[in-house]
Amino acid sequence: MKRREFVAATVRGMASIVAGGSVQAQEKAVAPFTLANLPYAFDALEPYIDKMTMEIHHGKHHAAYVNNLNNATKGTETKSLEDILAGVSKLSPVIRNNSGGHWNHTAFWNWMKPKGGGQPGSELATAITRDFGSFDKFKEQFGQAATGRFGSGWAWLIKQHDKLVIASTPNQDNPLMDIADVKGVPVLGLDVWEHAYYLKYQNRRADFVQAWWNVVNWDEVGKRFVNAK
Ligand SMILES: [Fe+2]
């Protein structure tokens, strides 16, 4: 390998670590919080999620959550993102909305990948069949949580002790927050805010949910399932 190729390969390798492997690091990170690059190109999830939606969603919406969270936590006690979520009931609504927005979107980008979809790996597949009856029944229930969430929010697959549970939360709340009705470790989540789908699907949230299964990164979901405590 020529030196120039070696340098290029090293830079690509570092970029993939920063972009793709830093989700858990971000959850433990303290202010100032940062917006990581997407782990793929903006058009990589086409035709299921269009390039412009991804550009605005990541570069405007997620970026705003990060900026707002940094502004709102300036001068306050230094806490990691996950510690903020765990004690969010004692913090301001601005911190609640933007810490959730940052955590949720960081995970969301990594719960998707180009040429995703298919089926979960064996350990998670076994748990899904045990707790929902079958993979198809799980998809149906998760889809109902996603389409049934009134207004803006998220649908979740959560690990609660050793059981998998489906839930949904309003706004940017999530199951790691102490104020959540259903608490647990999110294994998979779907953003059903209109900003996630409106340009391509307009009001047809159910069509977006259906299409989204084609980009789910089951490797990442499986890892989260195994690592969830
Ligand atoms: Fe979003």
Side-chain angles (χ1 to χ4, degrees):
M1 189 186 280
K2 291 195 187 103
R3 186 171 182 279
R4 196 188 305 162
E5 288 166 349
F6 173 77
V7 170
T10 306
V11 169
R12 276 200 304 276
M14 285 168 67
S16 71
I17 291 166
V18 170
S22 61
V23 183
Q24 281 72 29
Q26 291 207 3
E27 290 162 16
K28 306 235 180 292
V30 297
F33 300 99
T34 56
L35 178 67
N37 292 334
L38 284 183
Y40 36 74
F42 288 111
D43 62 357
L45 304 182
E46 298 253 16
Y48 307 106
I49 305 181
D50 60 285
K51 183 183 178 192
M52 190 186 281
T53 294
M54 291 300 289
E55 286 173 342
I56 296 171
H57 201 171
H58 178 267
K60 303 291 184 194
H61 292 281
H62 188 176
Y65 299 128
V66 174
N67 289 337
N68 294 339
L69 179 61
N70 282 331
N71 289 334
T73 53
K74 219 174 262 173
T76 64
E77 187 191 349
T78 303
K79 285 183 184 161
S80 70
L81 183 54
E82 60 184 17
D83 285 344
I84 290 174
L85 300 174
V88 86
S89 62
K90 298 180 198 74
L91 301 170
S92 70
V94 177
I95 293 180
R96 173 175 169 172
N97 290 335
N98 290 288
S99 62
H102 181 34
W103 192 97
N104 296 349
H105 287 83
T106 301
F108 186 54
W109 309 133
N110 288 277
W111 278 321
M112 301 187 287
K113 69 171 184 181
K115 299 194 179 73
Q119 304 256 339
S122 59
E123 208 169 333
L124 176 57
T126 302
I128 284 176
T129 304
R130 179 195 66 205
D131 293 335
F132 302 105
S134 69
F135 182 57
D136 283 343
K137 282 188 189 147
F138 151 72
K139 280 173 72 178
E140 194 183 319
Q141 283 183 45
F142 188 94
Q144 283 167 359
T147 53
R149 162 55 51 191
F150 183 76
S152 298
W154 290 73
W156 303 102
L157 175 64
I158 303 165
K159 193 171 174 189
Q160 251 184 1
H161 308 293
D162 283 328
K163 199 174 157 50
L164 287 170
V165 176
I166 287 170
S168 80
T169 52
N171 305 314
Q172 294 296 354
D173 287 358
N174 73 37
L176 295 169
M177 291 180 169
D178 60 348
I179 42 82
D181 291 335
V182 183
K183 295 182 193 63
V185 181
V187 173
L188 176 65
L190 172 56
D191 186 345
V192 293
W193 282 57
E194 284 187 344
H195 69 222
Y197 62 87
Y198 200 83
L199 292 180
K200 185 176 172 74
Y201 296 93
Q202 291 83 48
N203 61 323
R204 304 186 308 278
R205 185 190 286 183
D207 290 355
F208 164 64
V209 173
Q210 202 56 39
W212 176 76
W213 292 114
N214 292 293
V215 294
V216 172
N217 180 353
W218 286 112
D219 293 337
E220 175 68 20
V221 182
K223 261 187 243 163
R224 282 180 174 263
F225 170 70
V226 170
N227 294 334
K229 295 187 183 80

